[in-house]
Amino acid sequence: MIGKYSELSNKFREKANDHNFLCFQYSNKNEHDLWSCICSSMDWIDVGVQYIENFQPPNHPSLLNCMEIFSFIQAIDITYEAIKSLFWALVNNGEESKKGRSPFYEEKGCFSSIKNNTITDDKFFKEIRACCGAHPTDLYTYISDDEPKKQERYASWICAETNSSFSVRLYPNDTSNKTITVNVSYAELMDYFEKRFYYLNNLIDKIDELFEVFREEKINDIIQKSSNPIEQLKILKDANADRLDNQYFDETIEQLLLFFNTQFESKENESIVENYREKLISGIDELYENIQKLEYKEMKLNKLLSPPTIDIEWFGYEYTALLAQVFENRYKRYHFKTLTEPLKKYVNFDNIRTQSELYWLITIALNIVDEQNGNKAK
């Protein structure tokens, strides 16, 4: 069963990938590839929360406890640093002067061991991290007997005798100072973690806000219209590239351009080809609206361009082989009769000169079959 922290990190990842917006807008923002920063942050948040969700506090004497507890603290740190990076990218637009800033940098109150209220939770957490494994033999720490002045100290190993807290002794470098013991509660560490981790909800809202601003800007940038379908498709291709460069829209445009640039030789097919052409032209209007408004509504073009194949042995395989030749310029052998024999009563396959013409005639015939089965494109 997925943990509650992983559930939120997955929700954030889904939002970050939604519409291809962040990848499109943040791959080059203020001369930074902030999309790479966002992806790295999401990956390490997953690492951190998965460790935290599976961590069991050790409650028996063992030197291995030191590494287990340090890994737990490090998981919190990794997750928080990743959230700070997301904050930098999404809220501060990757401005170099604001890198490393946090929305929590002034917060206090998570740790009861802090005696001086000038020390923030972030500062104290860094001290715990240093004492518990980051550099325990070389400390210059606020955790002292004279806060908030820093003192040189050396940490002993971690003492974990209960599953609710652990402690670490800090030896003084100065002989006039005393050895002190720092007690750390897991509940306080989790409070510190959760306050920062749940900021992902704010960042999810921020992505929505950024997308709506971008969308509104593009809606007000009216795409040119043309009565010529080929010209209109070229205009839409450029407009799509300037918006979110949606792969599905781009592939649809390429398919349509292929059809409108295909020569159909047989006079007997003129009527059905023209009827299909009119349906596609009508579908271009739907495509225009989707790209103009950055919407992803179902289009009748979907079924017109990709009708269901017929349930005849080998037909689906041969149709896929033909498709590979037409759209991928990749040779795959297919049997002409396997493709055409079942559809001869709908389309005339004589005098076909190109693979493209064959592909479109089969696609038209499949649309006719689908309509006769009561599945007319709507």
Side-chain angles (χ1 to χ4, degrees):
M1 188 172 113
I2 189 168
K4 62 178 180 178
Y5 304 133
S6 291
E7 187 175 343
L8 179 55
S9 66
N10 289 344
K11 182 181 176 183
F12 180 85
R13 186 180 287 274
E14 287 172 7
K15 179 59 66 176
N17 286 298
D18 202 15
H19 308 304
N20 197 41
F21 168 64
L22 291 184
C23 179
F24 182 80
Q25 279 291 89
Y26 284 78
S27 291
N28 187 354
K29 186 89 168 176
N30 292 332
E31 298 183 350
H32 292 289
D33 184 352
L34 296 183
W35 175 239
S36 291
C37 172
I38 292 166
C39 290
S40 173
S41 299
M42 291 191 294
D43 290 347
W44 282 101
I45 286 171
D46 287 348
V47 172
V49 299
Q50 198 167 111
Y51 189 90
I52 290 165
E53 286 174 338
N54 288 281
F55 176 71
Q56 295 294 326
N59 59 5
H60 55 277
S62 170
L63 292 181
L64 293 177
N65 293 345
C66 296
M67 291 309 300
E68 291 180 25
I69 292 171
F70 178 60
S71 295
F72 171 68
I73 293 168
Q74 190 67 15
I76 294 174
D77 191 52
I78 286 171
T79 306
Y80 182 30
E81 288 299 319
I83 289 170
K84 287 200 292 187
S85 292
L86 292 174
F87 177 75
W88 173 64
L90 298 173
V91 178
N92 290 328
N93 291 310
E95 293 181 31
E96 196 64 41
S97 62
K98 296 181 179 179
K99 196 168 188 177
R101 292 190 185 180
S102 164
F104 302 96
Y105 75 102
E106 289 184 328
E107 287 205 357
K108 303 165 188 173
C110 287
F111 299 107
S112 59
S113 295
I114 300 176
K115 298 180 179 65
N116 191 299
N117 63 10
T118 63
I119 300 175
T120 64
D121 287 338
D122 279 0
K123 283 184 179 179
F124 191 74
F125 176 78
K126 291 296 184 185
E127 301 298 334
I128 294 172
R129 178 177 170 271
C131 296
C132 293
H135 47 92
T137 61
D138 182 22
L139 300 173
Y140 188 56
T141 176
Y142 284 114
I143 303 175
S144 67
D145 47 15
D146 187 25
E147 293 180 0
K149 293 181 182 178
K150 286 190 171 185
Q151 294 179 349
E152 289 184 69
R153 288 186 174 270
Y154 312 102
S156 181
W157 55 60
I158 299 169
C159 179
E161 295 180 348
T162 74
N163 58 11
S164 62
S165 66
F166 59 88
S167 63
V168 59
R169 300 176 75 192
L170 303 184
Y171 307 125
N173 181 60
D174 191 324
T175 56
S176 64
N177 294 327
K178 298 177 182 179
T179 296
I180 59 177
T181 300
V182 182
N183 295 297
V184 183
S185 158
Y186 289 116
E188 290 180 349
L189 282 172
M190 288 305 298
D191 182 39
Y192 176 83
F193 165 75
E194 288 187 345
K195 284 180 177 177
R196 284 142 185 80
F197 178 71
Y198 285 125
Y199 189 73
L200 282 180
N201 286 313
N202 300 65
L203 293 173
I204 288 170
D205 292 340
K206 184 63 179 179
I207 294 171
D208 284 334
E209 176 190 323
L210 291 167
F211 177 70
E212 283 307 312
V213 170
F214 175 83
R215 183 170 175 267
E216 192 65 29
E217 176 189 325
K218 293 305 179 183
I219 286 174
N220 292 328
D221 180 13
I222 306 302
I223 301 170
Q224 181 184 347
K225 286 196 172 185
S226 172
S227 58
N228 183 305
I230 293 177
E231 287 303 313
Q232 183 66 78
L233 288 168
K234 289 178 180 178
I235 292 168
L236 289 177
K237 187 174 179 66
D238 290 341
N240 181 50
D242 186 49
R243 281 158 159 76
L244 294 178
D245 202 17
N246 181 275
Q247 183 179 358
Y248 169 68
F249 289 158
D250 195 63
E251 290 174 353
T252 300
I253 291 168
E254 288 297 328
Q255 264 189 290
L256 290 166
L257 283 170
L258 179 65
F259 173 82
F260 287 106
N261 283 304
T262 297
Q263 295 294 320
F264 295 92
E265 300 296 331
S266 174
K267 297 285 186 184
E268 293 182 39
N269 292 325
E270 278 185 358
S271 175
I272 58 170
V273 170
E274 186 57 32
N275 180 265
Y276 185 69
R277 185 192 305 272
E278 291 301 318
K279 291 177 181 178
L280 293 184
I281 289 173
S282 175
I284 292 174
D285 293 336
E286 288 182 306
L287 181 61
Y288 177 98
E289 288 300 312
N290 272 349
I291 295 174
Q292 175 64 66
K293 297 178 181 178
L294 288 176
E295 293 180 336
Y296 302 92
K297 293 181 178 177
E298 184 75 15
M299 298 183 294
K300 66 181 180 182
L301 277 174
N302 299 348
K303 188 170 284 188
L304 289 169
L305 295 173
S306 302
T309 59
I310 52 179
D311 188 18
I312 294 179
E313 188 177 9
W314 296 111
F315 183 88
Y317 173 82
E318 306 295 343
Y319 186 57
T320 302
L322 173 61
L323 188 145
Q325 289 204 31
V326 173
F327 289 103
E328 301 172 22
N329 198 25
R330 180 164 56 92
Y331 179 76
K332 285 190 75 174
R333 187 176 180 180
Y334 63 87
H335 293 87
F336 181 83
K337 284 191 174 182
T338 304
L339 285 171
T340 58
E341 282 294 325
L343 301 172
K344 285 173 68 174
K345 63 180 179 180
Y346 307 106
V347 169
N348 187 309
F349 290 103
D350 296 334
N351 303 317
I352 291 175
R353 297 189 178 183
T354 64
Q355 307 284 359
S356 176
E357 182 182 6
L358 174 61
Y359 170 79
W360 285 113
L361 288 177
I362 290 171
T363 301
I364 290 169
L366 289 174
N367 269 280
I368 295 171
V369 172
D370 201 40
E371 284 184 24
Q372 289 184 356
N373 290 334
N375 298 316
K376 186 175 181 180
K378 296 179 182 179

